[in-house]
Amino acid sequence: ATCKWTDPVWIKIAMALATRDADSFYVQDCRQVQNNTHSIQTLTGQISKLVGTMEAEKDFQHCRKMVDDAVRQASETKTILARIREHQHQAQNTAERNNRRMMYQKLSDNLAITARVLEDVVRRFNAEERRRSGGILEATGIAAADVAGGNDQKPLLSASGHEQMEAALQNDKVQTLRKVDEDMLCLQRIYTDLASAAEDQASIFDSLESHMARAAADVERGREEIEYTDKYNMAAKLKRRLWLAAGGIFALMIFGGVLSS
């Protein structure tokens, strides 16, 4: 008995299912990118409003968490976009391939613009964070100086304790500011990489179009040559037929002259 997996019918069914699965993955990835981009845009708006009203430490912590979430989603969305770009090679025909190329370009442009706007908002948050960190460190330094100078009659901490607290605050703020800087660099890489990918894809598409144009021109020249060859062959055949007809008439004339003599 023949194994069903080697049967041509089953092979066609398996190929059809594989194509459908690839198409469903493509659609799922496109929807995921759209949803993620919308979520990032929503977070960006919320962060922008919060930056102008932050006062307590809990406000800054909440804003930092939102920034981290938005940057993380942007990085994940960029990864999904890379898959969508690869989905173009699985298109069944030229029209579908062009549709997928335009969809990728649209999704990529939306994410790149969103990343740029988010970067601007994060830069504003970074400025507020640095301003606040400087104020806290300055206040801590004044308090330590007062303790060292004896101005504080009931110090909660000794001078060395204030120095340790100041060092801990300094280290904590440095780490926080460094994380925000890394987030901005991550966003810059996202829209820079997307722009480079778009340029590469545009150059590839332009190259394909030029190849197709040259191929069309070659086909047109080939058609003209074939038509010219056909016309030349027809003329040559007609010429041969005329010579044969003239030769036959001449032979008949000679034969008729012989018979009349």
Side-chain angles (χ1 to χ4, degrees), residues 104-135:
Y104 168 80
Q105 191 62 53
K106 177 181 177 182
L107 296 174
S108 177
D109 290 344
N110 288 341
L111 180 60
I113 294 172
T114 302
R116 284 181 179 273
V117 175
L118 177 59
E119 182 198 7
D120 291 337
V121 174
V122 173
R123 184 176 287 107
R124 287 172 48 207
F125 169 73
N126 191 23
E128 289 294 323
E129 184 79 19
R130 289 180 181 276
R131 182 184 60 79
R132 183 172 183 275
S133 298

PDB file of all heavy atoms in Angstrom, residues 104-135:
ATOM      1  N   TYR A 104       3.985  46.413   5.105  1.00  0.00           N
ATOM      2  CA  TYR A 104       5.173  46.520   5.954  1.00  0.00           C
ATOM      3  C   TYR A 104       5.634  47.968   6.044  1.00  0.00           C
ATOM      4  O   TYR A 104       5.972  48.460   7.129  1.00  0.00           O
ATOM      5  CB  TYR A 104       6.305  45.650   5.402  1.00  0.00           C
ATOM      6  CG  TYR A 104       7.636  45.933   6.045  1.00  0.00           C
ATOM      7  CD1 TYR A 104       7.960  45.394   7.290  1.00  0.00           C
ATOM      8  CD2 TYR A 104       8.568  46.761   5.423  1.00  0.00           C
ATOM      9  CE1 TYR A 104       9.171  45.676   7.891  1.00  0.00           C
ATOM     10  CE2 TYR A 104       9.773  47.045   6.024  1.00  0.00           C
ATOM     11  CZ  TYR A 104      10.075  46.497   7.251  1.00  0.00           C
ATOM     12  OH  TYR A 104      11.281  46.794   7.847  1.00  0.00           O
ATOM     13  N   GLN A 105       5.654  48.665   4.912  1.00  0.00           N
ATOM     14  CA  GLN A 105       6.103  50.057   4.901  1.00  0.00           C
ATOM     15  C   GLN A 105       5.203  50.929   5.759  1.00  0.00           C
ATOM     16  O   GLN A 105       5.679  51.798   6.504  1.00  0.00           O
ATOM     17  CB  GLN A 105       6.135  50.584   3.462  1.00  0.00           C
ATOM     18  CG  GLN A 105       6.842  51.919   3.314  1.00  0.00           C
ATOM     19  CD  GLN A 105       8.290  51.840   3.718  1.00  0.00           C
ATOM     20  OE1 GLN A 105       9.034  50.985   3.237  1.00  0.00           O
ATOM     21  NE2 GLN A 105       8.700  52.717   4.621  1.00  0.00           N
ATOM     22  N   LYS A 106       3.898  50.699   5.671  1.00  0.00           N
ATOM     23  CA  LYS A 106       2.954  51.487   6.467  1.00  0.00           C
ATOM     24  C   LYS A 106       3.151  51.236   7.964  1.00  0.00           C
ATOM     25  O   LYS A 106       3.224  52.188   8.757  1.00  0.00           O
ATOM     26  CB  LYS A 106       1.516  51.130   6.061  1.00  0.00           C
ATOM     27  CG  LYS A 106       0.447  51.845   6.869  1.00  0.00           C
ATOM     28  CD  LYS A 106      -0.940  51.415   6.434  1.00  0.00           C
ATOM     29  CE  LYS A 106      -2.020  52.084   7.287  1.00  0.00           C
ATOM     30  NZ  LYS A 106      -3.379  51.641   6.899  1.00  0.00           N
ATOM     31  N   LEU A 107       3.244  49.976   8.358  1.00  0.00           N
ATOM     32  CA  LEU A 107       3.440  49.637   9.768  1.00  0.00           C
ATOM     33  C   LEU A 107       4.777  50.154  10.273  1.00  0.00           C
ATOM     34  O   LEU A 107       4.888  50.645  11.404  1.00  0.00           O
ATOM     35  CB  LEU A 107       3.347  48.124   9.959  1.00  0.00           C
ATOM     36  CG  LEU A 107       1.992  47.472   9.649  1.00  0.00           C
ATOM     37  CD1 LEU A 107       2.101  45.959   9.755  1.00  0.00           C
ATOM     38  CD2 LEU A 107       0.905  47.998  10.578  1.00  0.00           C
ATOM     39  N   SER A 108       5.813  50.048   9.437  1.00  0.00           N
ATOM     40  CA  SER A 108       7.143  50.516   9.823  1.00  0.00           C
ATOM     41  C   SER A 108       7.158  52.028  10.021  1.00  0.00           C
ATOM     42  O   SER A 108       7.735  52.537  10.997  1.00  0.00           O
ATOM     43  CB  SER A 108       8.170  50.109   8.758  1.00  0.00           C
ATOM     44  OG  SER A 108       9.457  50.610   9.070  1.00  0.00           O
ATOM     45  N   ASP A 109       6.525  52.763   9.129  1.00  0.00           N
ATOM     46  CA  ASP A 109       6.477  54.222   9.252  1.00  0.00           C
ATOM     47  C   ASP A 109       5.737  54.642  10.524  1.00  0.00           C
ATOM     48  O   ASP A 109       6.172  55.566  11.237  1.00  0.00           O
ATOM     49  CB  ASP A 109       5.792  54.840   8.030  1.00  0.00           C
ATOM     50  CG  ASP A 109       6.647  54.734   6.770  1.00  0.00           C
ATOM     51  OD1 ASP A 109       7.867  54.466   6.900  1.00  0.00           O
ATOM     52  OD2 ASP A 109       6.098  54.888   5.659  1.00  0.00           O
ATOM     53  N   ASN A 110       4.631  53.960  10.821  1.00  0.00           N
ATOM     54  CA  ASN A 110       3.864  54.293  12.024  1.00  0.00           C
ATOM     55  C   ASN A 110       4.687  54.064  13.289  1.00  0.00           C
ATOM     56  O   ASN A 110       4.678  54.898  14.212  1.00  0.00           O
ATOM     57  CB  ASN A 110       2.581  53.465  12.079  1.00  0.00           C
ATOM     58  CG  ASN A 110       1.551  53.909  11.058  1.00  0.00           C
ATOM     59  OD1 ASN A 110       1.618  55.017  10.543  1.00  0.00           O
ATOM     60  ND2 ASN A 110       0.602  53.043  10.756  1.00  0.00           N
ATOM     61  N   LEU A 111       5.402  52.945  13.340  1.00  0.00           N
ATOM     62  CA  LEU A 111       6.213  52.657  14.518  1.00  0.00           C
ATOM     63  C   LEU A 111       7.380  53.635  14.627  1.00  0.00           C
ATOM     64  O   LEU A 111       7.723  54.077  15.728  1.00  0.00           O
ATOM     65  CB  LEU A 111       6.729  51.220  14.465  1.00  0.00           C
ATOM     66  CG  LEU A 111       7.604  50.803  15.656  1.00  0.00           C
ATOM     67  CD1 LEU A 111       6.824  50.916  16.964  1.00  0.00           C
ATOM     68  CD2 LEU A 111       8.126  49.377  15.472  1.00  0.00           C
ATOM     69  N   ALA A 112       8.007  53.966  13.500  1.00  0.00           N
ATOM     70  CA  ALA A 112       9.141  54.900  13.531  1.00  0.00           C
ATOM     71  C   ALA A 112       8.708  56.270  14.042  1.00  0.00           C
ATOM     72  O   ALA A 112       9.394  56.888  14.872  1.00  0.00           O
ATOM     73  CB  ALA A 112       9.752  55.015  12.134  1.00  0.00           C
ATOM     74  N   ILE A 113       7.573  56.766  13.560  1.00  0.00           N
ATOM     75  CA  ILE A 113       7.069  58.065  14.019  1.00  0.00           C
ATOM     76  C   ILE A 113       6.728  58.005  15.508  1.00  0.00           C
ATOM     77  O   ILE A 113       7.048  58.930  16.279  1.00  0.00           O
ATOM     78  CB  ILE A 113       5.837  58.472  13.198  1.00  0.00           C
ATOM     79  CG1 ILE A 113       6.229  58.736  11.737  1.00  0.00           C
ATOM     80  CG2 ILE A 113       5.166  59.709  13.795  1.00  0.00           C
ATOM     81  CD1 ILE A 113       5.057  58.959  10.805  1.00  0.00           C
ATOM     82  N   THR A 114       6.093  56.912  15.931  1.00  0.00           N
ATOM     83  CA  THR A 114       5.739  56.755  17.342  1.00  0.00           C
ATOM     84  C   THR A 114       6.982  56.722  18.218  1.00  0.00           C
ATOM     85  O   THR A 114       7.009  57.324  19.307  1.00  0.00           O
ATOM     86  CB  THR A 114       4.922  55.466  17.533  1.00  0.00           C
ATOM     87  OG1 THR A 114       3.748  55.506  16.716  1.00  0.00           O
ATOM     88  CG2 THR A 114       4.516  55.290  18.991  1.00  0.00           C
ATOM     89  N   ALA A 115       8.031  56.035  17.765  1.00  0.00           N
ATOM     90  CA  ALA A 115       9.276  55.960  18.533  1.00  0.00           C
ATOM     91  C   ALA A 115       9.930  57.335  18.658  1.00  0.00           C
ATOM     92  O   ALA A 115      10.483  57.685  19.716  1.00  0.00           O
ATOM     93  CB  ALA A 115      10.246  54.973  17.874  1.00  0.00           C
ATOM     94  N   ARG A 116       9.873  58.139  17.601  1.00  0.00           N
ATOM     95  CA  ARG A 116      10.444  59.486  17.662  1.00  0.00           C
ATOM     96  C   ARG A 116       9.682  60.366  18.660  1.00  0.00           C
ATOM     97  O   ARG A 116      10.288  61.111  19.445  1.00  0.00           O
ATOM     98  CB  ARG A 116      10.400  60.128  16.277  1.00  0.00           C
ATOM     99  CG  ARG A 116      11.459  59.611  15.311  1.00  0.00           C
ATOM    100  CD  ARG A 116      11.355  60.311  13.973  1.00  0.00           C
ATOM    101  NE  ARG A 116      12.380  59.854  13.052  1.00  0.00           N
ATOM    102  CZ  ARG A 116      13.609  60.368  12.971  1.00  0.00           C
ATOM    103  NH1 ARG A 116      13.942  61.368  13.765  1.00  0.00           N
ATOM    104  NH2 ARG A 116      14.486  59.902  12.101  1.00  0.00           N
ATOM    105  N   VAL A 117       8.355  60.303  18.629  1.00  0.00           N
ATOM    106  CA  VAL A 117       7.556  61.088  19.568  1.00  0.00           C
ATOM    107  C   VAL A 117       7.827  60.635  20.997  1.00  0.00           C
ATOM    108  O   VAL A 117       7.986  61.457  21.923  1.00  0.00           O
ATOM    109  CB  VAL A 117       6.058  60.979  19.228  1.00  0.00           C
ATOM    110  CG1 VAL A 117       5.212  61.689  20.275  1.00  0.00           C
ATOM    111  CG2 VAL A 117       5.778  61.548  17.840  1.00  0.00           C
ATOM    112  N   LEU A 118       7.894  59.318  21.204  1.00  0.00           N
ATOM    113  CA  LEU A 118       8.176  58.786  22.538  1.00  0.00           C
ATOM    114  C   LEU A 118       9.555  59.229  23.010  1.00  0.00           C
ATOM    115  O   LEU A 118       9.746  59.549  24.192  1.00  0.00           O
ATOM    116  CB  LEU A 118       8.085  57.258  22.512  1.00  0.00           C
ATOM    117  CG  LEU A 118       8.416  56.540  23.829  1.00  0.00           C
ATOM    118  CD1 LEU A 118       7.493  57.005  24.953  1.00  0.00           C
ATOM    119  CD2 LEU A 118       8.313  55.024  23.648  1.00  0.00           C
ATOM    120  N   GLU A 119      10.521  59.264  22.112  1.00  0.00           N
ATOM    121  CA  GLU A 119      11.861  59.726  22.489  1.00  0.00           C
ATOM    122  C   GLU A 119      11.828  61.166  22.989  1.00  0.00           C
ATOM    123  O   GLU A 119      12.486  61.510  23.989  1.00  0.00           O
ATOM    124  CB  GLU A 119      12.803  59.613  21.298  1.00  0.00           C
ATOM    125  CG  GLU A 119      14.233  60.027  21.625  1.00  0.00           C
ATOM    126  CD  GLU A 119      15.052  60.335  20.391  1.00  0.00           C
ATOM    127  OE1 GLU A 119      14.483  60.362  19.285  1.00  0.00           O
ATOM    128  OE2 GLU A 119      16.268  60.571  20.544  1.00  0.00           O
ATOM    129  N   ASP A 120      11.077  62.024  22.323  1.00  0.00           N
ATOM    130  CA  ASP A 120      10.959  63.416  22.767  1.00  0.00           C
ATOM    131  C   ASP A 120      10.338  63.504  24.165  1.00  0.00           C
ATOM    132  O   ASP A 120      10.779  64.295  25.014  1.00  0.00           O
ATOM    133  CB  ASP A 120      10.105  64.211  21.777  1.00  0.00           C
ATOM    134  CG  ASP A 120      10.808  64.408  20.440  1.00  0.00           C
ATOM    135  OD1 ASP A 120      12.056  64.327  20.412  1.00  0.00           O
ATOM    136  OD2 ASP A 120      10.104  64.629  19.426  1.00  0.00           O
ATOM    137  N   VAL A 121       9.321  62.692  24.409  1.00  0.00           N
ATOM    138  CA  VAL A 121       8.671  62.698  25.723  1.00  0.00           C
ATOM    139  C   VAL A 121       9.624  62.177  26.794  1.00  0.00           C
ATOM    140  O   VAL A 121       9.708  62.734  27.901  1.00  0.00           O
ATOM    141  CB  VAL A 121       7.373  61.860  25.675  1.00  0.00           C
ATOM    142  CG1 VAL A 121       6.767  61.735  27.068  1.00  0.00           C
ATOM    143  CG2 VAL A 121       6.365  62.484  24.723  1.00  0.00           C
ATOM    144  N   VAL A 122      10.361  61.118  26.473  1.00  0.00           N
ATOM    145  CA  VAL A 122      11.317  60.560  27.430  1.00  0.00           C
ATOM    146  C   VAL A 122      12.431  61.575  27.721  1.00  0.00           C
ATOM    147  O   VAL A 122      12.919  61.672  28.850  1.00  0.00           O
ATOM    148  CB  VAL A 122      11.910  59.241  26.898  1.00  0.00           C
ATOM    149  CG1 VAL A 122      13.027  58.736  27.811  1.00  0.00           C
ATOM    150  CG2 VAL A 122      10.825  58.178  26.793  1.00  0.00           C
ATOM    151  N   ARG A 123      12.821  62.352  26.722  1.00  0.00           N
ATOM    152  CA  ARG A 123      13.833  63.388  26.944  1.00  0.00           C
ATOM    153  C   ARG A 123      13.319  64.445  27.927  1.00  0.00           C
ATOM    154  O   ARG A 123      14.074  64.927  28.788  1.00  0.00           O
ATOM    155  CB  ARG A 123      14.213  64.029  25.608  1.00  0.00           C
ATOM    156  CG  ARG A 123      15.338  65.059  25.737  1.00  0.00           C
ATOM    157  CD  ARG A 123      15.760  65.614  24.394  1.00  0.00           C
ATOM    158  NE  ARG A 123      16.510  64.630  23.628  1.00  0.00           N
ATOM    159  CZ  ARG A 123      16.039  63.993  22.571  1.00  0.00           C
ATOM    160  NH1 ARG A 123      14.807  64.242  22.145  1.00  0.00           N
ATOM    161  NH2 ARG A 123      16.770  63.115  21.920  1.00  0.00           N
ATOM    162  N   ARG A 124      12.042  64.801  27.811  1.00  0.00           N
ATOM    163  CA  ARG A 124      11.452  65.735  28.776  1.00  0.00           C
ATOM    164  C   ARG A 124      11.447  65.143  30.180  1.00  0.00           C
ATOM    165  O   ARG A 124      11.773  65.816  31.163  1.00  0.00           O
ATOM    166  CB  ARG A 124      10.028  66.091  28.353  1.00  0.00           C
ATOM    167  CG  ARG A 124       9.943  67.019  27.144  1.00  0.00           C
ATOM    168  CD  ARG A 124       8.495  67.155  26.678  1.00  0.00           C
ATOM    169  NE  ARG A 124       7.601  67.434  27.801  1.00  0.00           N
ATOM    170  CZ  ARG A 124       6.321  67.107  27.829  1.00  0.00           C
ATOM    171  NH1 ARG A 124       5.776  66.481  26.798  1.00  0.00           N
ATOM    172  NH2 ARG A 124       5.578  67.398  28.874  1.00  0.00           N
ATOM    173  N   PHE A 125      11.075  63.867  30.260  1.00  0.00           N
ATOM    174  CA  PHE A 125      11.084  63.202  31.564  1.00  0.00           C
ATOM    175  C   PHE A 125      12.497  63.148  32.128  1.00  0.00           C
ATOM    176  O   PHE A 125      12.708  63.348  33.330  1.00  0.00           O
ATOM    177  CB  PHE A 125      10.512  61.788  31.430  1.00  0.00           C
ATOM    178  CG  PHE A 125      10.724  60.936  32.649  1.00  0.00           C
ATOM    179  CD1 PHE A 125      10.001  61.153  33.812  1.00  0.00           C
ATOM    180  CD2 PHE A 125      11.661  59.907  32.632  1.00  0.00           C
ATOM    181  CE1 PHE A 125      10.205  60.367  34.933  1.00  0.00           C
ATOM    182  CE2 PHE A 125      11.877  59.126  33.747  1.00  0.00           C
ATOM    183  CZ  PHE A 125      11.138  59.354  34.904  1.00  0.00           C
ATOM    184  N   ASN A 126      13.474  62.909  31.280  1.00  0.00           N
ATOM    185  CA  ASN A 126      14.862  62.836  31.719  1.00  0.00           C
ATOM    186  C   ASN A 126      15.316  64.178  32.297  1.00  0.00           C
ATOM    187  O   ASN A 126      16.023  64.237  33.311  1.00  0.00           O
ATOM    188  CB  ASN A 126      15.748  62.437  30.542  1.00  0.00           C
ATOM    189  CG  ASN A 126      17.155  62.085  30.976  1.00  0.00           C
ATOM    190  OD1 ASN A 126      17.395  61.723  32.125  1.00  0.00           O
ATOM    191  ND2 ASN A 126      18.095  62.190  30.057  1.00  0.00           N
ATOM    192  N   ALA A 127      14.905  65.273  31.642  1.00  0.00           N
ATOM    193  CA  ALA A 127      15.268  66.598  32.137  1.00  0.00           C
ATOM    194  C   ALA A 127      14.644  66.849  33.517  1.00  0.00           C
ATOM    195  O   ALA A 127      15.302  67.388  34.432  1.00  0.00           O
ATOM    196  CB  ALA A 127      14.813  67.667  31.146  1.00  0.00           C
ATOM    197  N   GLU A 128      13.385  66.463  33.690  1.00  0.00           N
ATOM    198  CA  GLU A 128      12.728  66.619  34.988  1.00  0.00           C
ATOM    199  C   GLU A 128      13.394  65.754  36.044  1.00  0.00           C
ATOM    200  O   GLU A 128      13.580  66.176  37.198  1.00  0.00           O
ATOM    201  CB  GLU A 128      11.244  66.259  34.876  1.00  0.00           C
ATOM    202  CG  GLU A 128      10.414  67.257  34.096  1.00  0.00           C
ATOM    203  CD  GLU A 128      10.337  68.598  34.796  1.00  0.00           C
ATOM    204  OE1 GLU A 128      10.259  68.621  36.040  1.00  0.00           O
ATOM    205  OE2 GLU A 128      10.372  69.624  34.100  1.00  0.00           O
ATOM    206  N   GLU A 129      13.776  64.547  35.664  1.00  0.00           N
ATOM    207  CA  GLU A 129      14.432  63.634  36.604  1.00  0.00           C
ATOM    208  C   GLU A 129      15.781  64.196  37.051  1.00  0.00           C
ATOM    209  O   GLU A 129      16.136  64.147  38.238  1.00  0.00           O
ATOM    210  CB  GLU A 129      14.629  62.262  35.936  1.00  0.00           C
ATOM    211  CG  GLU A 129      15.204  61.191  36.845  1.00  0.00           C
ATOM    212  CD  GLU A 129      14.177  60.578  37.765  1.00  0.00           C
ATOM    213  OE1 GLU A 129      12.980  60.704  37.471  1.00  0.00           O
ATOM    214  OE2 GLU A 129      14.577  59.982  38.780  1.00  0.00           O
ATOM    215  N   ARG A 130      16.534  64.761  36.118  1.00  0.00           N
ATOM    216  CA  ARG A 130      17.839  65.344  36.467  1.00  0.00           C
ATOM    217  C   ARG A 130      17.664  66.583  37.356  1.00  0.00           C
ATOM    218  O   ARG A 130      18.435  66.800  38.305  1.00  0.00           O
ATOM    219  CB  ARG A 130      18.604  65.706  35.198  1.00  0.00           C
ATOM    220  CG  ARG A 130      19.098  64.504  34.414  1.00  0.00           C
ATOM    221  CD  ARG A 130      19.848  64.908  33.152  1.00  0.00           C
ATOM    222  NE  ARG A 130      20.284  63.743  32.406  1.00  0.00           N
ATOM    223  CZ  ARG A 130      21.403  63.063  32.658  1.00  0.00           C
ATOM    224  NH1 ARG A 130      22.205  63.448  33.646  1.00  0.00           N
ATOM    225  NH2 ARG A 130      21.725  62.011  31.939  1.00  0.00           N
ATOM    226  N   ARG A 131      16.655  67.385  37.029  1.00  0.00           N
ATOM    227  CA  ARG A 131      16.417  68.573  37.848  1.00  0.00           C
ATOM    228  C   ARG A 131      16.055  68.191  39.275  1.00  0.00           C
ATOM    229  O   ARG A 131      16.577  68.761  40.242  1.00  0.00           O
ATOM    230  CB  ARG A 131      15.289  69.410  37.228  1.00  0.00           C
ATOM    231  CG  ARG A 131      14.986  70.706  37.973  1.00  0.00           C
ATOM    232  CD  ARG A 131      13.790  71.410  37.356  1.00  0.00           C
ATOM    233  NE  ARG A 131      12.593  70.577  37.394  1.00  0.00           N
ATOM    234  CZ  ARG A 131      11.844  70.415  38.483  1.00  0.00           C
ATOM    235  NH1 ARG A 131      12.168  71.010  39.621  1.00  0.00           N
ATOM    236  NH2 ARG A 131      10.769  69.657  38.444  1.00  0.00           N
ATOM    237  N   ARG A 132      15.188  67.219  39.401  1.00  0.00           N
ATOM    238  CA  ARG A 132      14.771  66.793  40.736  1.00  0.00           C
ATOM    239  C   ARG A 132      15.917  66.127  41.478  1.00  0.00           C
ATOM    240  O   ARG A 132      16.100  66.341  42.677  1.00  0.00           O
ATOM    241  CB  ARG A 132      13.591  65.825  40.621  1.00  0.00           C
ATOM    242  CG  ARG A 132      13.031  65.361  41.969  1.00  0.00           C
ATOM    243  CD  ARG A 132      11.762  64.561  41.764  1.00  0.00           C
ATOM    244  NE  ARG A 132      11.181  64.174  43.034  1.00  0.00           N
ATOM    245  CZ  ARG A 132      11.536  63.081  43.722  1.00  0.00           C
ATOM    246  NH1 ARG A 132      12.477  62.280  43.233  1.00  0.00           N
ATOM    247  NH2 ARG A 132      10.959  62.791  44.871  1.00  0.00           N
ATOM    248  N   SER A 133      16.701  65.294  40.766  1.00  0.00           N
ATOM    249  CA  SER A 133      17.830  64.624  41.416  1.00  0.00           C
ATOM    250  C   SER A 133      18.839  65.646  41.929  1.00  0.00           C
ATOM    251  O   SER A 133      19.374  65.509  43.030  1.00  0.00           O
ATOM    252  CB  SER A 133      18.508  63.677  40.429  1.00  0.00           C
ATOM    253  OG  SER A 133      17.612  62.668  39.998  1.00  0.00           O
ATOM    254  N   GLY A 134      19.086  66.680  41.148  1.00  0.00           N
ATOM    255  CA  GLY A 134      20.009  67.720  41.597  1.00  0.00           C
ATOM    256  C   GLY A 134      19.511  68.432  42.829  1.00  0.00           C
ATOM    257  O   GLY A 134      20.276  68.728  43.748  1.00  0.00           O
ATOM    258  N   GLY A 135      18.195  68.673  42.904  1.00  0.00           N
ATOM    259  CA  GLY A 135      17.630  69.334  44.073  1.00  0.00           C
ATOM    260  C   GLY A 135      17.730  68.474  45.323  1.00  0.00           C
ATOM    261  O   GLY A 135      18.050  68.964  46.411  1.00  0.00           O
TER     262      GLY A 135
END
